Amino acid sequence: MEIGEYLRKAKPGEIVLIEYSSLSPYPEVLYEIGKDRWNKVILTDFLDSGIHVLRYLKYSGKDIPLDEIKRIKVGGSSKWGRIILDMDPYKDPVVLMINFFKTLVAKYKEINGVIAIVLNHEKLLARYEYDPYFLNEVLAVPTTLIGNPLRTAFVFMNYELTEKRYLALFEEIATRIIKIDNSGIAKVAKSIDLSEEGREFKVIP
């Protein structure tokens, strides 16, 4: 089984946490998640994190139909994709999270079998110095949406940049955890199917 096939085993309602290092080929994993179903993707892009992914995939010869990807833009200046919500990350965090949640739920009802991808919300948390009040607001979203059959979620976080206690909190919520190392090996660290834990895949065959 290849990594793409495994990722597609994730069921509606799950939250799959993809932990990666700065040197790991994590864009390949994102590509496999969206491959052949970009029209179902809602990508939440914090502070232009998607630019790095797009450049990597472009120069590795992979084509992504940007006009099919629905994007929630949280800060940054890039205009790629079909932007369905453009949020200022420096306004009141409660208002930010309310608008974010409302948009997600509304789009989940419009699109059959949403693939929700979240890129690097830890960058925004760092700007707030992991303020406990803001953390509670952020964690309320995945906690509320876990088990929602309208979507399958994949959350990408750089474990080298994420505050350890926050990472641990998110690991508790996630139904599956895949860790990608610098050599391009993806390891299943947590799964709702315990027999899968410890399984390894080559991100680039």
Side-chain angles (χ1 to χ4, degrees):
M1 181 185 297
E2 296 183 353
I3 183 68
E5 184 181 353
Y6 178 75
L7 291 167
R8 287 168 186 265
K9 287 181 61 179
K11 302 174 182 178
E14 285 201 58
I15 296 179
V16 182
L17 175 60
I18 312 291
E19 298 182 19
Y20 68 91
S21 71
S22 298
L23 297 178
S24 66
Y26 72 96
E28 298 282 354
V29 174
L30 189 147
Y31 180 80
E32 289 296 333
I33 292 170
K35 187 177 179 181
D36 300 325
R37 52 181 183 176
W38 295 109
N39 62 323
K40 295 182 178 294
V41 168
I42 296 179
L43 191 147
T44 305
D45 185 10
F46 286 83
L47 305 177
D48 278 344
S49 296
I51 288 293
H52 309 297
V53 174
L54 294 177
R55 286 174 179 165
Y56 176 103
L57 294 174
K58 176 182 177 181
Y59 290 116
S60 66
K62 292 181 174 63
D63 183 42
I64 296 180
L66 299 183
D67 59 331
E68 292 187 15
I69 298 176
K70 287 160 283 293
R71 178 178 172 227
I72 295 177
K73 178 176 170 288
V74 187
S77 58
S78 64
K79 302 297 183 181
W80 66 271
R82 290 173 53 194
I83 298 175
I84 60 175
L85 181 64
D86 190 346
M87 297 193 297
D88 183 346
Y90 304 110
K91 290 186 176 180
D92 186 304
V94 175
V95 174
L96 179 78
M97 298 315 298
I98 289 174
N99 290 339
F100 176 62
F101 186 81
K102 283 183 177 179
T103 299
L104 282 182
V105 172
K107 289 298 177 181
Y108 289 171
K109 293 177 180 178
E110 291 178 13
I111 305 165
N112 182 35
V114 168
I115 308 300
I117 299 176
V118 180
L119 276 179
N120 301 122
H121 70 286
E122 71 274 14
K123 290 184 179 180
L124 180 60
L125 295 177
R127 295 281 183 109
Y128 282 94
E129 297 182 346
Y130 287 90
D131 176 77
Y133 176 72
F134 189 38
L135 288 187
N136 287 335
E137 294 296 324
V138 172
L139 285 170
V141 175
T143 302
T144 302
L145 292 176
I146 193 168
N148 187 320
L150 299 178
R151 67 91 183 99
T152 307
F154 297 87
V155 179
F156 285 77
M157 294 174 66
N158 186 325
Y159 62 79
E160 294 177 330
L161 302 179
T162 307
E163 199 271 336
K164 290 184 178 179
R165 287 176 297 177
Y166 178 75
L167 184 60
L169 288 170
F170 209 98
E171 286 176 335
E172 284 187 339
I173 297 170
T175 57
R176 300 176 197 250
I177 300 172
I178 299 173
K179 294 188 176 183
I180 311 169
D181 65 19
N182 292 351
S183 67
I185 299 298
K187 183 175 182 178
V188 180
K190 177 183 176 181
S191 174
I192 51 177
D193 181 351
L194 297 180
S195 68
E196 295 177 350
E197 293 184 357
R199 183 177 296 182
E200 295 184 348
F201 305 89
K202 288 184 178 180
V203 172
I204 304 176

